Amino acid sequence: MRYGHFDDARREYVITHPDTPLPWINYLGSEEYFGIISNTAGGYSFYRDARLRRLTRYRYNNAPLDVGGRYVYLRDDASGDFWSPSWQPTQRELEDYACRHGLGYSIISSRYQGISAETLYFVPGGETLEIWLVRVTNERAEPAKLSLFSSIEFCLWDAQDDATNFQRNYSVGEVEVEDGVIYHKTEYRERRDHFAFFACSEPLAGFDTQRDAFLGPYRSWDRPIAVERGASSNSIAHGWQPSGSHHVRLEIGPGETKEVIFLLGYAENPRDAKFDPPGSQTIDKRLVRPTIDRYLQPAVVAEAFEALRARWTDLLGICQAQTGNEHVDRMVNVWNPYQCMVTFNMSRSASLFESGIGRGMGFRDTSQDLLGFVHMIPSRARERLIDVASTQLPTGGAYHQYQPLTKRGNNDVGSRFNDDPAWLVLAVAAYLKETGDTSILDVAVPYDNRPGTERPLYEHLQRSIVYTLERRGPHGLPLIGRADWNDCLNLNCFSETPGESFQTTENRSGGVAESVFIAGLFVLAANDLAEIAALRGDGAEAARCISAAAEMRDVVAQHGWDGAWFRRAYDFYGRPVGSAENDEGQIFIEPQGMCIMAGIGLDDGRARVALDSVRQRLATPHGIVVLQPAFTRYHLHLGEISTYPGGYKENAGVFCHTNPWVMIAETRVGNGDGALDYYLRINPSAREDLSEIHRGEPYVYAQMIAGKDAATPGEAKNTWLTGTAAWNFTAISQWILGIRPEHAGLRIDPCVPAAWGDFTLTRRFRGATYRIAVRKHAGASGRVTRLRVDGRTVGGNLAPLPASPGADIEVEAFVEATP
Ligand code: GLC
Ligand code: GLC
């Protein structure tokens, strides 16, 4: 069953049933001010850091799940009847309910008793505020007298403290109300120079800033007393729960529409200009007031919204495909890049499943997120690469995470995840291929953010490679450390203490557990660094990398092959993991994808054998599971992976992040049918008809879909913030559709289903626009062997770099007629 539909022309998903299986969310903002918003207006906002600068409250894991939001209420002042046009929290039966989640905005609309209401929520570019534009239309034959109430609940900034430290927090809340604007200024008197504001475009009939005055004792958001009685109480919060609500009276003639604008925003004052008059404790509003006044004007709001739409048209224009497959086109052209933007901004911090207080930015997560983002805003990717590399340790190793506000490595999760450094090489390589900006390699970047340790970024990459080479085990494979990509394969951990974190607890010393996965990743990274070294004319380094990669490939061939697939690892005792010798967990997905992506097994046929094993043992209609057979009990020597019930998460769930590796592997062996088949199994649009099973949003990838051993196979969790976004974009755009930036040009190497005919692609690259027509007979399953570039024939499949920026380059790519 579906709960809505795609509106491809407007680039929106239109939810038409408010009671979706889970809250279906969207993101507001993409620079410094962010929010999440559900299809019924639940969610919260923050400035830069979801933990440390949280503006509004949201109650995770509540019943119902989605509590706290940007709610407006309408009240018919003649009858006293009131409702939420976003359905929640009052849950009145609405007509024509629709939530249009678009790119950086959401529009929620409905009709109740002849009154239509539509609210547009978005963050204007360059600002630290969000706009709620409410349009109320009277579709009745008589005039209507209505009351409109806004409502939010302020968070006392640090979301972690806010949710735990009640002995203090019930006494510190402070607000000001001036000229109809509600200012939230808790702790402004002392070390905070920031405050929040909540403004309204209309004269107020009243306001509330004390939550319980607005709701009434023992009431919840579904029937606030102020709304029920049609009058606010002009409450001023002193401690307890500061909140914000405006009350506006509207008289609307038949057929008439009234617009009301609410603004919620964040502002900072210079420390020496905090108070007005100086010496008082009153916020100096002179800096913020012009911004508020500006955005309370409908024309300014309209213009800002158009600018947001235009911004996305431009960003999405960088890579567009017209393949005729709607699931491919809408994910490639709209939703997948959008999700990549969100993962770039949020890392794993704020979603329905990530509370915003849990983690910083992951070293490996962020590096991989860049793969799907770098083509959109390379300058921001560059900055991020420097930030990440600045947290690298002098050994070449990495803190597993760093804090976005301080940009410092975070010792909470420690280090020694031995895959971490290699991802940095992949990310820098992707940046260089996209931009050609080799100057980044010479940027002086510190280690562990310590002044005086700055070395060229290039050297950081070299140390990443050395890190792996210096940490090899008895078979010559890389030591796994705490874990590799799979956080839950903890081969040196041996945890027997309840509640202890598998990621941070002291590992058993003397561990020699090795990872075949890191070996594959290393080969990719070393080859990338070899190319980078060659670009710099550093032939010696290039040669070193090439031979290190070759040597590692041999080690994998010798010790990483199990007979019909690649092994996963060797455990603490040197026994194989992911082998036919094991009772459970005989085959894992990660090394199949990673080793074949790295080219291992292509020349000796093992790649195909491994992929056959994947198809037979791991593939399900809902995607490819991590491993089989699932672990049915806790294995002390394997760690967290065996704590999950079978079919969930790392224990044989469809961990979607890994699926594109297998798709890419399929293209490496020339199986376009197989690659696209896997792609469509986890493509959210292709799963839209299964929404009651999938349960997550049909417009974004999920981290995990429950596997075949689960009680709920096909059920998605952890949507939005997942490396799946970047990797699926890479798999479909670069390997299946085959448009791949390289140092020397744009590779055009599609590997698509045989049945496909011609298709077209547009790719902006290095300042030029490549308009690519793939000429292919339906039935042909070969590769592109010849191009015509601006009328001239080029052998092979590499379209050269543009001769001049701004060029429009016509490319025809001819797929061999016979397989
Ligand atoms: C989560 C983590 C990621 C890890 C994956 C597999 O998605 O964010 O870093 O690789 O789980 O354990
Ligand atoms: C990753 C994994 C998750 C695990 C967590 C540990 O996010 O996906 O399963 O519990 O790491 O912090």
Side-chain angles (χ1 to χ4, degrees), residues 571-627:
D571 68 15
F572 182 88
Y573 308 103
R575 302 173 310 200
V577 176
S579 160
E581 289 175 25
N582 303 119
D583 295 336
E584 304 187 324
Q586 294 176 332
I587 171 172
F588 283 64
I589 189 174
E590 303 101 307
Q592 321 314 323
M594 190 50 75
C595 291
I596 299 170
M597 283 205 293
I600 304 174
L602 291 179
D603 48 0
D604 57 13
R606 284 179 175 179
R608 275 183 194 273
V609 174
L611 287 169
D612 284 345
S613 299
V614 168
R615 193 162 287 271
Q616 283 158 22
R617 294 171 172 254
L618 301 180
T620 80
H622 301 294
I624 312 167
V625 299
V626 177
L627 61 91

Side-chain angles (χ1 to χ4, degrees), residues 348 354 359 364-365 400-401 413 485-488 501-503 640 643-644 649-650 655 703 718:
R348 305 294 172 269
E354 301 279 10
R359 331 197 214 177
R364 82 156 82 89
D365 291 338
H400 199 46
Q401 295 184 2
V413 192
W485 173 86
N486 191 326
D487 277 334
C488 300
S501 157
F502 288 94
Q503 276 72 40
E640 185 173 358
T643 65
Y644 285 110
K649 296 280 283 183
E650 281 88 341
F655 216 96
Q703 180 211 60
N718 301 356

Side-chain angles (χ1 to χ4, degrees), residues 677-698:
D677 171 28
Y678 287 143
Y679 174 75
L680 291 175
R681 293 188 200 199
I682 62 166
N683 177 305
S685 162
R687 297 175 59 75
E688 188 189 13
D689 285 336
L690 303 177
S691 286
E692 79 285 6
I693 294 171
H694 184 79
R695 302 186 78 221
E697 296 91 337

Side-chain angles (χ1 to χ4, degrees), residues 66-227:
D66 191 30
V67 176
R70 302 171 183 84
Y71 300 130
V72 300
Y73 300 85
L74 278 166
R75 177 178 187 273
D76 188 331
D77 286 338
S79 67
D81 198 5
F82 64 90
W83 71 101
S84 309
S86 59
W87 190 63
Q88 279 278 67
T90 62
Q91 296 194 5
R92 296 284 184 287
E93 197 147 316
L94 302 172
E95 294 166 59
D96 289 340
Y97 160 89
C99 168
R100 294 181 163 265
H101 281 323
L103 308 185
Y105 67 89
S106 292
I107 303 173
I108 305 180
S109 57
S110 62
R111 185 170 350 101
Y112 182 77
Q113 310 248 329
I115 304 294
S116 296
E118 173 189 288
T119 309
L120 161 67
Y121 299 93
F122 74 103
V123 175
E127 302 292 353
T128 58
L129 59 85
E130 66 187 64
I131 294 172
W132 314 358
L133 170 62
V134 186
R135 282 199 188 94
V136 186
T137 303
N138 178 6
E139 295 175 4
R140 300 174 182 168
E142 330 71 58
K145 286 193 176 183
L146 306 171
S147 278
L148 173 66
F149 293 86
S150 63
S151 72
I152 50 159
E153 187 178 356
F154 291 109
C155 178
L156 309 189
W157 306 118
D158 178 339
Q160 165 88 31
D161 186 73
D162 185 69
T164 48
N165 190 10
F166 307 112
Q167 61 80 21
R168 170 175 164 85
N169 292 340
Y170 282 180
S171 290
V172 296
E174 285 191 289
V175 299
E176 284 177 32
V177 181
E178 191 180 302
D179 296 334
V181 182
I182 295 165
Y183 297 89
H184 173 230
K185 62 166 195 175
T186 300
E187 294 185 347
Y188 187 74
R189 62 185 279 140
E190 26 127 352
R191 292 159 302 174
R192 296 188 184 276
D193 307 318
H194 48 261
F195 56 91
F197 55 88
F198 191 32
C200 173
S201 61
E202 303 308 301
L204 300 187
F207 62 84
D208 273 300
T209 69
Q210 180 74 67
R211 188 187 71 193
D212 278 2
F214 177 67
L215 296 181
Y218 290 95
R219 287 172 175 241
S220 187
W221 299 91
D222 59 336
R223 47 182 200 112
I225 190 96
V227 177

Side-chain angles (χ1 to χ4, degrees), residues 625-695:
V625 299
V626 177
L627 61 91
Q628 278 295 300
F631 297 111
T632 57
R633 62 186 65 87
Y634 179 48
H635 297 274
L636 186 62
H637 69 293
L638 299 178
E640 185 173 358
I641 194 164
S642 57
T643 65
Y644 285 110
Y648 295 99
K649 296 280 283 183
E650 281 88 341
N651 186 13
V654 176
F655 216 96
C656 294
H657 187 143
T658 61
N659 281 217
W661 299 340
V662 174
M663 296 168 205
I664 296 171
E666 288 287 2
T667 68
R668 302 277 336 240
V669 301
N671 182 6
D673 280 292
L676 196 85
D677 171 28
Y678 287 143
Y679 174 75
L680 291 175
R681 293 188 200 199
I682 62 166
N683 177 305
S685 162
R687 297 175 59 75
E688 188 189 13
D689 285 336
L690 303 177
S691 286
E692 79 285 6
I693 294 171
H694 184 79
R695 302 186 78 221

Side-chain angles (χ1 to χ4, degrees), residues 548-582:
E551 198 190 314
M552 191 67 82
R553 209 177 291 124
D554 291 344
V555 173
V556 173
Q558 230 190 316
H559 300 291
W561 183 250
D562 196 61
W565 56 80
F566 293 99
R567 289 181 171 170
R568 179 64 178 82
Y570 285 89
D571 68 15
F572 182 88
Y573 308 103
R575 302 173 310 200
V577 176
S579 160
E581 289 175 25
N582 303 119

